Amino acid sequence: MSANSAESLQRLEVVLVKAGRTKIRYEAELLTDDGTRVTVRAPWAGEGVRDFGFVRFEPGDVFTEHYWRDRWYAVKEVRDAEGILKGWYCDITRPAVLNGAELVVEDLDLDLWVSADGKEVLRLDEDEFEESGLTQTDPEAASAAWAALNELEQLARPRGAGNCATSHDAPAADIEGPFPPL
């Protein structure tokens, strides 16, 4: 059994890095690791309430987070304390790296929000991305980030509302809702 196999770990520490510094670190329950995608579940790790205007993240919210070793994004299903789906928050990131019990993900500023009904698809933080200077310092990564944002937006839009109800206990093999199996 390898050090990165799902059987050897039940909990991971998710480490989100931004601009070379750790932005946040939190413990998560490992749900699956198929060698390409790592899926974890964790409570809202921020302090207090974060109101974005289109959604509020708050204590009691549960995030089921999908990270890929070969894709430039992460998809996070967000539910409230009662299990009601709020939507999907998608981070544009470099491919995830699992080092032992640490899942390290570098946030590249671009984000996408998809409401629970699939009707609202919002591109976020494009100004922050431009200000980051990544286009000048790492043009290949910047190009991959834009491509990932465009891909996620395309995945989110065609299916629309109506397929978004999943439970906390649903298998993590496929992401349901506006996203086809990723």
Side-chain angles (χ1 to χ4, degrees):
M1 179 183 335
S2 76
N4 289 340
S5 74
E7 294 83 25
S8 66
L9 301 171
Q10 295 303 310
R11 309 233 17 114
L12 293 178
E13 188 156 38
V14 178
V15 181
L16 296 177
V17 177
K18 190 169 184 177
R21 295 187 316 215
T22 299
K23 179 178 171 185
I24 191 168
R25 152 187 306 269
Y26 55 93
E27 190 171 284
E29 173 189 1
L30 175 64
L31 299 178
T32 63
D33 179 359
D34 67 8
T36 302
R37 181 172 71 186
V38 178
T39 301
V40 301
R41 182 176 299 131
W44 164 241
E47 292 185 23
V49 174
R50 177 109 189 253
D51 190 342
F52 290 95
F54 50 86
V55 68
R56 288 170 47 103
F57 295 159
E58 51 204 335
D61 286 352
V62 176
F63 287 66
T64 300
E65 305 174 356
H66 306 271
Y67 298 95
W68 285 265
R69 292 176 175 96
D70 63 350
R71 298 186 191 180
W72 287 71
Y73 54 77
V75 176
K76 301 172 182 182
E77 178 189 88
V78 185
R79 292 180 177 272
D80 70 14
E82 286 75 46
I84 307 225
L85 181 65
K86 290 185 174 188
W88 293 266
Y89 196 89
C90 307
D91 287 320
I92 303 305
T93 67
R94 290 184 189 269
V97 176
L98 184 60
N99 290 321
E102 279 191 346
L103 182 64
V104 180
V105 183
E106 184 180 348
D107 184 345
L108 297 178
D109 292 310
L110 293 171
D111 301 297
L112 187 78
W113 169 254
V114 182
S115 62
D117 63 8
K119 292 180 182 176
E120 190 172 44
V121 179
L122 304 173
R123 292 170 69 111
L124 307 169
D125 303 328
E126 291 174 300
D127 55 337
E128 286 181 32
F129 181 78
E130 290 299 335
E131 292 169 10
S132 76
L134 191 64
T135 304
Q136 292 75 36
T137 61
D138 192 344
E140 287 182 29
S143 178
W146 283 117
L149 181 63
N150 292 333
E151 177 185 348
L152 280 172
E153 184 177 21
Q154 287 295 98
L155 289 170
R157 288 196 184 277
R159 300 208 36 212
N163 343 347
C164 299
T166 61
S167 73
H168 283 309
D169 298 322
D174 295 319
I175 299 170
E176 296 187 29
F179 295 104
L182 296 171

